[in-house]
Amino acid sequence: MKELHLICNAHLDPVWQWDWNEGATAALATFYSAAEIADEYDYIFCHNEALLYEYIEEYDPKLFARIQELVKAGKWHIMGGWYVQPDCNLPSGEGFVRQIESGLRYFKEKFNQRPKVAVNFDSFGHTQGLVQILNKCGYEGYIFCRPMDWIFDLPKMVFNWIGFDGSTVKAARFEDQTIYCSELGNAVNAIKRKMQPWEKEEIAFALWGVGNHGGGASRRDLTDIKGFTAEQQANGVTVLHSTPEAFFKKVMPEVEFDAALQPCFIKCYTSIARLKRKFAELENKLLRTEKICSYADKEGVYSYDLEAFFEAQKNLAAIQFHDVLSGTCIIEGEKSSLQKAEYALELLDKQFTKAFMALCGGYEKAKPGDYPIFVYNPNPDGEEQIVNGEFFMLDPICSETEGYEFVIRKNGEEIVPYQKIKESSCINLDRSERLAIKTTLNPLSITRFDVEVHKGKRVYIDKTSPAELENANHAKVGFNLQDGCLNSYMVGGKEYLSGSAFTPVVFDDNPDPWGWHMKKLGSNYRKTATKTAVRVIERGDLLTSVESIYDTGKSDVRVAYTFYKDFDYVDVTVNVFWNDEGKGLKLEIPVQEIGRFIGQTAFGTQEYGQETEECSQRFVGVEAGDKVLAVFKDGTYGCSIEDGKLYLSLLNGSVYCAHPVGELPIIDETRSNRYIDLGRHEFTFRLEVCKESELEKKAAAFTQKPYALNFYPHGDGVKKEESPVHISAENVSLSTLRKVDEDTYMVRLVNNYKEGVDCVCSVFGKSISLSFGKYEVKTLLYKNGELREHDSMLNL
């Protein structure tokens, strides 16, 4: 070794075994100490996470100004540049971009700094999709510590990491028993130990500083390091107080690594399930709201509130924090993180409603007695689908024989088919009406339906339990009337199931929410017993819904299947009241044919192994010939293939922040402990057979559903129905359409497939020809009537 770069840091979790407010006080104390010591010693303090700097700016402006001066003097280094250190498996590709953007925008504005090396020391595994994101966000290097060497082998500590699309970034894993930290007053001994794996390398680095609740450098440590530096100089090693950027400028990796940096802690993909679902809801709400607000802004009927979107985005970034989204924080952290998500959802809901009503306001007034329903389609495809709309009737009917019937006209002319389904209210009147409407929606814009009301007969559902259903496309489903499960799913004459699917399975678990030393989630799998006979809850011209209720002895599980007369997919809703402490819940899907096991990750499709717990985002699937048997999901991440069965992990049996420590019991079993996932939960899925190239687009359609509202226009605006974005290639999906500054709109397109494709994209009437490589993401900017490709994912 010729050169050793010492990177002083103070790992600070904003929330973990403490809530956000205590994380702020730890940041205040640590940053104050680092600034004081900087006046006395010639060293560089490195710190990341814009959120912590925001705390200093708000709660101690004098200290903040002092830090700004230290940054200018080169004694304080803005490291990493992200808003927090997020979980690096669960956020979508767009979610990662917003994490990076939120941090870099802040550091540019407050410090005029732009880090070039990203750091996620403590995140639990890293998706391969990060490589393209890092590359196209202008990063040259990436430092991580997990998964540790005893979990995951790497060819070398420094390597070129290869992304799905072939892009690269330099990456380095730092391995040590104290990882990014050193004990107070013992930094030199820690540094000497951390040097050992680098003995054969020309250039090395070591992370030091008191961490895990702050601290950083101490006077004793810096004094000791001064002597250590002289000692090493005599041995021919130059020791530098340094930065990640300085280290990466010196190293040229000799090996490549072409895979994900996972798994790490496999229970993190399931722990604190309600927060994961809320996070997915916020991600989808942000993207959907940006689309409609950009469209309305460009049409001049709404003024885009950039600050409201930045605020919502920062809250999304905050709850990505690895001890929050991964589910390893205390209960107070869960509660306050849910509060952050709800606050962001409220901000977005206000903007969405403004834009929606502004776009609808230009339509003609409704005819007397009609109920107008306006539907916004957040997707750029105008495919036929089922849309649900609800409205409140002026006059209720309370009768066992009479009820309302309807005629629904699309755009004032075309009569479209509908089916009455259960409304949200449970008052047993014909007053609140919910209609399933079969239609083709205008892409990325508004479609109007007018509901004409007539009195007729009250409709009663045929509740005879079906053993088999077949639709117009000759797709078939079969039900096992004994266990209440889907036991057959045939598409195109081919059977895809080998047994009862979406069967609730209970398993034994331990209290550890990380899943230390685990590769498989749970043991002693056992199916629940049917509590209530299978029953039909909806049946009509468009769809049939069947529900089954299960009883574990302590918990109730409801599984409802909806099969469509004109569509091949099956929608599944699972409602759970969970009261089984120390136990978890999965859904079991026996499959007829198992090829590649794949799932969505950030801007990519990951291939997984079998018999281990894996993490997928909005789809997971099993290759079956030239098609994929896919499950689309919304906020559920854990999955596995075991013994020919696909498992979807819903809940586990963990206790809040129960970290294994040596040989001690994980929890104190002489007292009551707070188990994480007890209570009510709802999960939604879609089972469908499709081509692999269709998965990304179908996942977007499932997670960003159309929005319908009974709205009465005044007719004094301008009607807008033209889609703002057109995409010619079926393989290319729209990731985002949003306004990024006063006169610029950004469009992001994704080819989440192993083959390249050519595409023409039109944005606000301007077209551009694009050529996508495999798994490539492209960003476009529309400004002042001009559309161009942008070489960065950011607009800073």
Side-chain angles (χ1 to χ4, degrees):
M1 184 190 303
K2 293 183 178 180
E3 194 169 283
L4 175 64
H5 292 250
L6 298 182
I7 299 175
C8 179
N9 74 103
H11 180 71
L12 270 165
D13 290 326
V15 56
W16 179 33
Q17 297 181 73
W18 46 84
D19 205 357
W20 298 90
N21 287 341
E22 187 174 335
T25 63
L28 285 164
T30 297
F31 283 24
Y32 181 82
S33 173
E36 288 281 291
I37 293 173
D39 290 337
E40 304 172 30
Y41 291 85
D42 186 18
Y43 87 114
I44 303 172
F45 181 66
C46 302
H47 213 284
N48 56 326
E49 298 185 300
L51 172 65
L52 300 181
Y53 289 83
E54 285 183 336
Y55 286 155
I56 309 302
E57 183 181 16
E58 183 170 0
Y59 302 130
D60 194 338
K62 185 176 179 180
L63 175 59
F64 187 77
R66 191 175 178 185
I67 293 170
Q68 287 178 314
E69 291 305 314
L70 288 169
V71 170
K72 289 179 183 177
K75 301 196 72 175
W76 188 302
H77 180 69
I78 303 297
M79 183 172 64
W82 295 20
Y83 194 69
V84 297
Q85 289 188 52
D87 180 279
C88 288
N89 292 312
L90 305 183
S92 67
E94 200 60 44
F96 277 117
V97 174
R98 306 313 175 84
Q99 171 71 233
I100 296 168
E101 180 183 271
S102 297
L104 290 182
R105 178 186 291 118
Y106 180 81
F107 287 126
K108 180 180 179 181
E109 178 185 341
K110 304 297 181 179
F111 298 93
N112 195 29
Q113 295 291 299
R114 203 307 185 183
K116 290 291 187 178
V117 175
V119 297
N120 282 310
F121 296 153
D122 206 26
S123 301
F124 311 144
H126 310 260
T127 170
Q128 192 175 357
L130 267 176
V131 180
Q132 182 175 191
I133 295 169
L134 289 165
N135 186 288
K136 291 186 175 178
C137 287
Y139 280 95
E140 298 168 357
Y142 188 56
I143 301 178
F144 65 99
C145 300
R146 307 182 192 274
M148 298 75 81
D149 55 351
W150 55 269
I151 295 177
F152 194 89
D153 287 329
L154 281 171
K156 292 197 78 172
M157 288 178 290
V158 181
F159 54 93
N160 284 317
W161 194 14
I162 312 299
F164 292 113
D165 66 325
S167 59
T168 65
V169 67
K170 295 179 186 178
R173 176 171 70 183
F174 195 80
E175 302 168 3
D176 184 68
Q177 65 192 43
T178 59
I179 316 179
Y180 36 74
C181 300
S182 60
E183 295 176 354
L184 179 64
N186 198 35
V188 167
N189 287 334
I191 291 167
K192 287 179 178 179
R193 185 184 65 246
K194 294 179 181 195
M195 289 173 63
Q196 293 173 9
W198 297 84
E199 286 179 350
K200 296 181 181 180
E201 305 295 331
E202 291 283 305
I203 311 293
F205 77 101
L207 303 173
W208 74 279
V210 179
N212 277 338
H213 205 29
S218 71
R219 291 173 175 85
R220 176 178 172 179
D221 285 327
L222 285 166
T223 299
D224 290 347
I225 288 172
K226 189 174 182 179
F228 167 76
T229 300
E231 173 189 307
Q232 291 298 313
Q233 188 70 44
N235 296 330
V237 178
T238 300
V239 179
L240 306 168
H241 287 292
S242 190
T243 67
E245 281 77 4
F247 169 75
F248 273 98
K249 281 183 180 178
K250 296 288 186 74
V251 293
M252 295 299 294
E254 299 173 352
V255 299
E256 295 184 342
F257 184 74
D258 185 5
L261 297 166
Q262 60 185 45
C264 187
F265 302 137
I266 57 98
K267 281 181 71 178
C268 293
Y269 310 149
T270 309
S271 299
I272 308 191
R274 59 177 55 84
L275 181 58
K276 287 176 170 58
R277 297 195 304 276
K278 186 60 67 174
F279 170 76
E281 179 186 352
L282 178 53
E283 267 197 332
N284 291 323
K285 186 66 172 281
L286 175 63
L287 298 178
R288 185 173 72 168
T289 305
E290 287 174 339
K291 291 174 190 175
I292 191 172
C293 290
S294 297
Y295 176 43
D297 179 86
K298 182 62 174 64
E299 296 294 347
V301 296
Y302 158 89
S303 180
Y304 200 96
D305 189 340
L306 287 167
E307 289 304 316
F309 282 97
F310 292 159
E311 183 71 13
Q313 180 174 296
K314 286 199 302 182
N315 281 270
L316 176 73
I319 64 173
Q320 289 178 358
F321 183 68
H322 59 270
D323 281 312
V324 170
L325 190 54
S326 64
T328 55
C329 62
I330 59 175
I331 191 170
E332 290 82 2
E334 178 195 29
K335 290 178 179 177
S336 55
S337 298
L338 286 168
Q339 181 177 325
K340 288 179 183 293
E342 294 292 357
Y343 168 63
L345 287 166
E346 178 66 20
L347 287 174
L348 294 171
D349 190 64
K350 182 177 290 187
Q351 298 305 316
F352 184 96
T353 303
K354 283 182 180 179
F356 180 87
M357 292 188 176
L359 287 167
C360 297
Y363 285 76
E364 296 177 357
K365 295 180 180 179
K367 296 178 181 177
D370 280 4
Y371 293 83
I373 296 177
F374 289 83
V375 182
Y376 173 68
N377 178 13
N379 295 296
D381 302 302
E383 296 180 352
E384 193 172 46
Q385 59 187 294
I386 298 291
V387 178
N388 294 335
E390 189 161 329
F391 56 95
F392 191 71
M393 303 285 292
L394 292 176
D395 299 314
I397 294 180
C398 181
S399 169
E400 293 185 356
T401 58
E402 290 186 321
Y404 283 115
E405 297 176 352
F406 308 99
V407 174
I408 304 177
R409 290 183 171 83
K410 174 183 173 183
N411 296 328
E413 298 177 359
E414 176 190 355
I415 296 178
V416 295
Y418 77 93
Q419 178 180 331
K420 290 180 67 171
I421 57 177
K422 176 69 177 69
E423 67 279 9
S424 298
S425 172
C426 291
I427 298 175
N428 198 13
L429 293 173
D430 237 11
R431 190 166 197 183
S432 286
E433 300 287 357
R434 188 170 183 84
L435 306 180
I437 302 169
K438 178 187 169 187
T439 187
T440 300
L441 296 175
N442 298 327
L444 278 172
S445 54
I446 302 293
T447 306
R448 175 177 180 161
F449 300 90
D450 289 285
V451 182
E452 182 182 307
V453 179
H454 303 275
K455 286 189 177 181
K457 294 181 179 180
R458 183 162 184 168
V459 177
Y460 288 90
I461 298 171
D462 175 6
K463 294 190 176 182
T464 307
S465 296
E468 183 178 270
L469 294 170
E470 181 175 0
N471 71 14
N473 299 329
H474 304 295
K476 294 181 181 180
V477 296
F479 293 95
N480 184 326
L481 301 183
Q482 299 303 312
D483 64 17
C485 293
L486 191 73
N487 68 350
S488 176
Y489 178 50
M490 295 184 68
V491 179
K494 181 175 180 176
E495 176 62 70
Y496 286 88
L497 301 179
S498 63
S500 294
F502 293 94
T503 304
V505 172
V506 179
F507 60 88
D508 294 335
D509 199 11
N510 69 30
D512 165 21
W514 283 265
W516 282 80
H517 309 288
M518 293 175 63
K519 292 185 178 180
K520 177 181 176 181
L521 178 57
S523 60
N524 190 25
Y525 289 16
R526 51 203 181 275
K527 297 181 181 180
T528 56
T530 303
K531 177 182 177 181
T532 304
V534 184
R535 57 195 181 197
V536 174
I537 55 174
E538 303 288 355
R539 179 175 266 158
D541 294 335
L542 300 185
L543 59 89
T544 297
S545 294
V546 180
E547 71 174 4
S548 300
I549 312 292
Y550 300 87
D551 181 13
T552 73
K554 289 186 176 181
S555 304
D556 294 320
V557 181
R558 170 187 178 265
V559 183
Y561 307 88
T562 298
F563 180 69
Y564 299 91
K565 294 293 180 68
D566 296 297
F567 306 101
D568 294 345
Y569 50 79
V570 180
D571 284 337
V572 181
T573 300
V574 181
N575 301 97
V576 180
F577 182 78
W578 196 243
N579 197 36
D580 279 274
E581 294 183 351
K583 295 178 173 56
L585 180 68
K586 297 187 179 190
L587 296 178
E588 180 183 278
I589 306 175
V591 295
Q592 190 74 242
E593 182 179 354
I594 297 181
R596 292 161 56 241
F597 177 34
I598 59 175
Q600 186 194 47
T601 186
F603 292 146
T605 296
Q606 181 74 49
E607 183 172 352
Y608 306 118
Q610 298 188 17
E611 309 299 325
T612 57
E613 187 75 4
E614 303 289 351
C615 174
S616 67
Q617 295 182 357
R618 286 156 178 77
F619 65 74
V620 65
V622 180
E623 193 176 54
D626 61 347
K627 297 290 181 68
V628 175
L629 176 64
V631 179
F632 299 99
K633 48 205 180 79
D634 196 1
T636 306
Y637 297 91
C639 56
S640 63
I641 288 279
E642 302 174 35
D643 300 323
K645 299 168 184 174
L646 170 62
Y647 286 95
L648 307 174
S649 301
L650 306 188
L651 306 169
N652 66 38
S654 301
V655 170
Y656 285 98
C657 206
H659 196 305
V661 179
E663 299 300 319
L664 296 173
I666 297 177
I667 57 172
D668 178 0
E669 297 187 4
T670 65
R671 64 184 301 161
S672 174
N673 290 281
R674 292 189 286 192
Y675 286 84
I676 291 175
D677 283 328
L678 302 184
R680 296 187 184 278
H681 302 267
E682 181 171 290
F683 307 88
T684 57
F685 305 95
R686 174 169 290 173
L687 182 69
E688 186 169 7
V689 173
C690 62
K691 296 183 292 186
E692 185 178 339
S693 59
E694 298 175 311
L695 288 169
E696 183 78 19
K697 192 167 288 188
K698 287 182 177 292
F702 178 68
T703 56
Q704 294 188 48
K705 295 180 174 65
Y707 173 81
L709 184 67
N710 172 213
F711 176 81
Y712 293 87
H714 300 312
D716 55 359
V718 181
K719 185 167 67 173
K720 302 293 181 184
E721 292 178 343
E722 176 62 26
S723 174
V725 176
H726 295 275
I727 304 168
S728 68
E730 291 184 359
N731 291 8
V732 177
S733 299
L734 177 67
S735 176
T736 184
L737 163 64
R738 64 182 179 125
K739 192 171 187 178
V740 290
D741 60 38
E742 289 303 319
D743 58 1
T744 307
Y745 300 87
M746 177 180 284
V747 170
R748 187 136 38 239
L749 305 172
V750 181
N751 173 34
N752 190 7
Y753 191 54
K754 59 190 175 185
E755 296 178 2
V757 64
D758 292 331
C759 172
V760 175
C761 178
S762 173
V763 179
F764 300 130
K766 294 291 182 179
S767 296
I768 187 170
S769 296
L770 303 167
S771 183
F772 286 81
K774 63 177 183 177
Y775 299 109
E776 186 176 5
V777 181
K778 288 185 179 291
T779 303
L780 309 179
L781 294 182
Y782 178 95
K783 182 173 183 177
N784 299 327
E786 297 297 325
L787 180 65
R788 64 179 178 87
E789 189 172 349
H790 187 48
D791 60 3
S792 172
M793 289 185 177
L794 305 172
N795 183 55
L796 296 174

